[in-house]
């Protein structure tokens, strides 16, 4: 991994952290609370969450996206957006279907649809940021 990929991953992690806070922590929090089965002690309260670990989780996902996008030759916003959307959709569809099959976590299967779509949007934005960062400094051909 080169410096450009590392910086793209870091920029993606910052975008992931901020967008995740808005998307999941503000807009969808009520929906998630209403459509998940609650078990005593499973979820930490807002004041108990470890923001450093949340950022590291976002960094790991963003570094994976940056590495894959670089290997795919992504170097612009749209390429990154598409790569992030496709990878995010497949990763979260796999996770949520596994959760639905093996755990009593969701109160209904519509939660899977909402979670996959929300995470696809989240990953697409991260991918777009990564694509922009990977394309920084590329020369443009004169028309």
């Amino acid at each position: 991994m080169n410096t450009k990929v590392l910086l793209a991953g870091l920029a993606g992690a910052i975008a992931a952290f901020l967008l995740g806070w808005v998307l999941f922590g503000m807009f969808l929090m009520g929906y998630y609370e209403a459509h998940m089965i609650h078990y005593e002690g499973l979820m930490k309260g807002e004041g108990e969450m470890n923001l450093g670990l949340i950022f590291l989780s976002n960094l790991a996902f963003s570094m994976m996206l940056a590495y894959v996008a670089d290997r795919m030759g992504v170097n612009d916003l749209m390429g990154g957006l598409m790569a992030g959307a496709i990878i995010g959709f497949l990763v979260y569809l796999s996770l949520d279907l596994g959760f639905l099959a093996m755990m009593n976590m969701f109160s209904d299967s519509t939660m899977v649809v909402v979670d996959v779509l929300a995470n696809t949007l989240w990953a697409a934005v991260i991918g777009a940021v990564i694509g922009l960062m990977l394309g920084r400094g590329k020369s443009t051909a004169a028309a």
Side-chain angles (χ1 to χ4, degrees), residues 77-130:
L77 182 135
M78 283 308 293
L81 186 129
M82 290 304 297
I86 292 166
I87 292 167
F89 175 79
L90 294 172
V91 165
Y92 287 100
L93 180 63
S94 172
L95 287 171
D96 282 350
L97 289 176
F99 292 157
L100 189 61
M102 296 179 276
M103 301 172 79
N104 290 315
M105 188 165 67
F106 303 137
S107 62
D108 57 63
S109 57
T110 59
M111 180 64 190
V112 171
V113 174
V114 171
D115 192 56
V116 169
L117 291 175
N119 277 292
T120 298
L121 171 65
W122 178 76
V125 172
I126 298 165
V129 169
I130 288 168

Side-chain angles (χ1 to χ4, degrees), residues 40-58:
E40 189 65 34
L42 177 65
M43 299 299 292
K44 292 182 177 183
E46 262 185 65
E48 298 173 294
M49 290 186 186
N50 187 323
L51 295 179
L53 289 177
I54 293 171
F55 183 79
L56 287 176
S57 171
N58 291 328

Side-chain angles (χ1 to χ4, degrees), residues 25-75:
M26 296 169 110
F27 291 144
L28 292 174
M29 183 188 299
Y31 183 85
Y32 278 79
E33 287 177 358
H35 289 86
M36 292 185 74
I37 299 172
H38 299 277
Y39 297 98
E40 189 65 34
L42 177 65
M43 299 299 292
K44 292 182 177 183
E46 262 185 65
E48 298 173 294
M49 290 186 186
N50 187 323
L51 295 179
L53 289 177
I54 293 171
F55 183 79
L56 287 176
S57 171
N58 291 328
L59 182 62
F61 186 81
S62 297
M63 291 306 297
M64 184 259 316
L65 271 183
Y67 175 77
V68 171
D70 183 56
R71 299 286 294 179
M72 292 170 61
V74 170
N75 61 9

